Amino acid sequence: MLPDIQFSPVAVSGCAINLIIAAICYYVRRFRDGRQGLAFFGGAHLINGIVYLLIIPLPPGPQLSAALASPFAYLLALGVVASSACVLAGAWAIDHRLRFQRRFVLAIGIAYLILVGLGLGVGADIAFRGAMILNVCSALVAGVLFLQGRTAFYKLTGATWLLRTVMTLVLALLPPTLAGQQYFITIGILNVIFIAATGFGIILTELDDARQAASDASAAKSQFIANMSHELRTPLNAIIGFAEMVEGRAFAPTLQQSQQYGSLILQAGRHQLGLVDMLLDMASIEAGRDSLVPQSMAADKMAEECVRMLAGEADRAGVVLHTATEPITVMADPRALRQILIALINNAIKFSPAGAAVRVEVSMAGPGRTAIRVCDRGDGISLTELGRIFEPFFQAGDTYTRAKGGLGLGLAIAQRLATALGGSIAVESQPGMGSTFTLLLPRGETLPDGQTAGSHMATIVPDRAN
């Protein structure tokens, strides 16, 4: 005869579902290039599965009530708090507007310590209930952020998170004496159901985003072909046409005309070489083979040098360049910094109307940081396009009309180079009011002899899904 062993059906189902969801999250994250948020949510489900595993031998009734009032409840509370921290980290990875995530996690840790202290004097079940309420808070944050998502999958997942908070809150407020009653068991089963709904909802949003990313990649390929078709044909046609004139097929050019045609051929050839170089730079960055050597250098001198280099381009566009610099050092690779600034200034010139001014500013930006700002008074960037301007081959407005020319790679390369140098590029823009691009880089060291500070290698790592 087998011994009469009773298991909690809520705990068994909760353990199985959580471990299954954790395994799927790991699989999608590891083998399907899932984002970082999926790893955090998978960790939360793994911890939940372990918590349910610990209470499987405790069927609803006196045994469970006694366990929740014993020091064993501290261990369960610790698992619930750890799960809450993972949920907050996952919510932050999904939506970076959750800027207070570190403070929130710290607050959860402090609250847990307070609950443990209270539990020592009042009862261990207080610590467990408090941990459940903290879990409700983190789930509520996740639900609100998911509800603000851009697709129906996000909104449905957010709704299930909110329903899950209701079930968890009810469980936290129920007295342990009800642990053996059907009401308690029903609420526990509903909680497990909504845990499953939130877990599979997260996986579905991840897979749907991956499908959308694949669709965007296909559109980017078509966009790339459209861009290259125009940008490479134009200089090639100019080179061939003027070369035929120099050769004398159309008419015998004079020496002055030959010199003029040769100058135009040279200009078109350099333009095409610039396009090819930009494509090669992007390919090198994406492959992670572009090694940089950051060193301490004068940010103001580099900015003024780039302004002088683009003075002719600004003059042809009827744009006036202004500088407002301070003698500040920056830690950067000279070639990379020059390429970043040229891309930002050239972009400002390109999208500024004739007669407008572009301003380049160099100043301090807090402890150990240097800010280089490029401000224009062009058409500005709409809110929907603002989040995509650093994508390769993307340009604000109708890309296929090619009204402004270019491949749409300048800002993408600049942003990746800035990241490799330990910095970032931020943009502020309003339609009709212009744009301001701010390059933030680490401050460099100032040496008395004018030498550069010690340098170190930095390798550009290609972007991966979050």
Side-chain angles (χ1 to χ4, degrees):
M1 293 290 293
L2 293 175
D4 186 16
I5 301 176
Q6 293 184 350
F7 295 126
S8 168
V10 176
V12 172
S13 59
C15 177
I17 288 175
N18 275 287
L19 293 181
I20 290 172
I21 294 174
I24 296 175
C25 288
Y26 172 78
Y27 174 79
V28 176
R29 167 66 174 166
R30 178 68 177 82
F31 300 104
R32 289 293 181 266
D33 201 23
R35 293 170 296 183
Q36 186 179 8
L38 203 63
F40 289 122
F41 283 118
H45 282 282
L46 177 62
I47 296 171
N48 283 339
I50 295 174
V51 171
Y52 275 109
L53 179 65
L54 293 175
I55 62 175
I56 283 179
L58 304 173
Q63 286 182 272
L64 181 58
S65 299
L68 293 180
S70 70
F72 177 70
Y74 292 120
L75 180 62
L76 299 180
L78 179 61
V80 173
V81 170
S83 173
S84 302
C86 288
V87 168
L88 284 177
W92 172 80
I94 291 292
D95 191 332
H96 289 277
R97 284 175 292 181
L98 188 61
R99 297 296 181 186
F100 53 89
Q101 79 282 358
R102 292 182 180 177
R103 297 179 182 177
F104 209 163
V105 172
L106 180 61
I108 286 181
I110 294 175
Y112 174 73
L113 294 177
I114 294 175
L115 290 170
V116 170
L118 291 175
L120 292 175
V122 181
D125 64 305
I126 299 297
F128 179 72
R129 287 196 195 183
M132 293 284 285
I133 293 176
L134 292 177
N135 186 264
V136 168
C137 295
S138 61
L140 183 62
V141 171
V144 171
L145 291 179
F146 270 97
L147 281 176
Q148 297 174 1
R150 60 186 179 277
T151 65
F153 281 105
Y154 278 92
K155 299 184 185 305
L156 289 175
T157 304
T160 59
W161 271 105
L162 296 182
L163 292 173
R164 176 178 169 179
T165 61
V166 174
M167 297 298 107
T168 307
L169 183 61
V170 172
L171 284 177
L173 297 179
L174 285 178
T177 54
L178 295 179
Q181 297 188 15
Q182 190 63 37
Y183 178 73
F184 182 91
I185 298 175
T186 302
I187 296 297
I189 292 175
L190 288 176
N191 186 53
V192 170
I193 291 174
F194 285 119
I195 287 176
T198 56
F200 286 114
I202 291 169
I203 296 170
L204 287 175
T205 56
E206 180 70 24
L207 296 177
D208 185 63
D209 284 350
R211 178 196 60 78
Q212 185 60 46
S215 177
D216 292 341
S218 177
K221 180 184 70 173
S222 301
Q223 181 176 330
F224 171 74
I225 294 174
N227 293 358
M228 295 301 296
S229 175
H230 174 84
E231 296 296 337
L232 293 182
R233 280 174 178 268
T234 300
L236 276 176
N237 288 334
I239 291 171
I240 293 172
F242 288 119
E244 288 179 345
M245 292 182 181
V246 172
E247 189 182 22
R249 290 186 181 182
F251 61 90
T254 64
L255 178 60
Q256 183 179 3
Q257 288 175 326
S258 296
Q259 292 176 342
Q260 181 182 4
Y261 298 153
S263 176
L264 293 172
I265 291 173
L266 181 61
Q267 181 180 350
R270 286 175 175 170
H271 174 68
Q272 189 166 23
L273 179 61
L275 296 177
V276 174
D277 286 342
M278 191 172 293
L279 288 172
L280 293 177
D281 285 342
M282 192 67 194
S284 178
I285 290 173
E286 291 295 325
R289 293 194 297 264
D290 199 347
S291 295
L292 307 177
V293 184
Q295 60 187 36
S296 187
M297 54 186 298
D300 54 321
K301 293 181 179 179
M302 177 60 75
E304 292 169 357
E305 174 188 333
C306 294
V307 168
R308 288 193 297 269
M309 291 175 61
L310 294 172
E313 185 73 21
D315 186 62
R316 285 188 291 272
V319 175
V320 181
L321 294 178
H322 295 295
T323 58
T325 62
E326 300 178 16
I328 303 174
T329 58
V330 66
M331 184 66 70
D333 179 88
R335 180 190 63 83
L337 180 57
R338 184 180 295 107
Q339 189 169 359
I340 293 172
L341 294 181
I342 288 177
L344 296 180
I345 299 172
N346 188 56
N347 183 75
I349 294 172
K350 182 189 297 185
F351 291 97
S352 294
V358 172
R359 184 179 179 88
V360 180
E361 303 174 354
V362 179
S363 61
M364 293 186 294
R369 308 291 285 181
T370 297
I372 304 178
R373 295 180 177 85
V374 179
C375 311
D376 67 69
R377 291 294 178 266
D379 295 334
I381 307 169
S382 67
L383 185 61
T384 56
E385 295 174 332
L386 200 59
R388 299 190 58 197
I389 57 174
F390 293 113
E391 294 180 9
F393 310 112
F394 177 80
Q395 284 188 340
D398 187 359
T399 304
Y400 291 93
T401 62
R402 314 305 305 151
K404 298 295 183 180
L407 292 176
L409 284 177
L411 293 180
I413 293 175
Q415 189 235 24
R416 284 158 174 77
L417 289 174
T419 302
L421 292 173
S424 62
I425 299 178
V427 57
E428 298 178 5
S429 182
Q430 291 183 0
M433 300 295 291
S435 306
T436 297
F437 287 80
T438 302
L439 170 64
L440 292 175
L441 289 174
R443 187 86 49 81
E445 301 176 9
T446 303
L447 300 181
D449 57 2
Q451 300 290 327
T452 58
S455 60
H456 63 279
M457 296 293 290
T459 301
I460 295 180
V461 179
D463 285 353
R464 292 288 182 259
N466 290 329

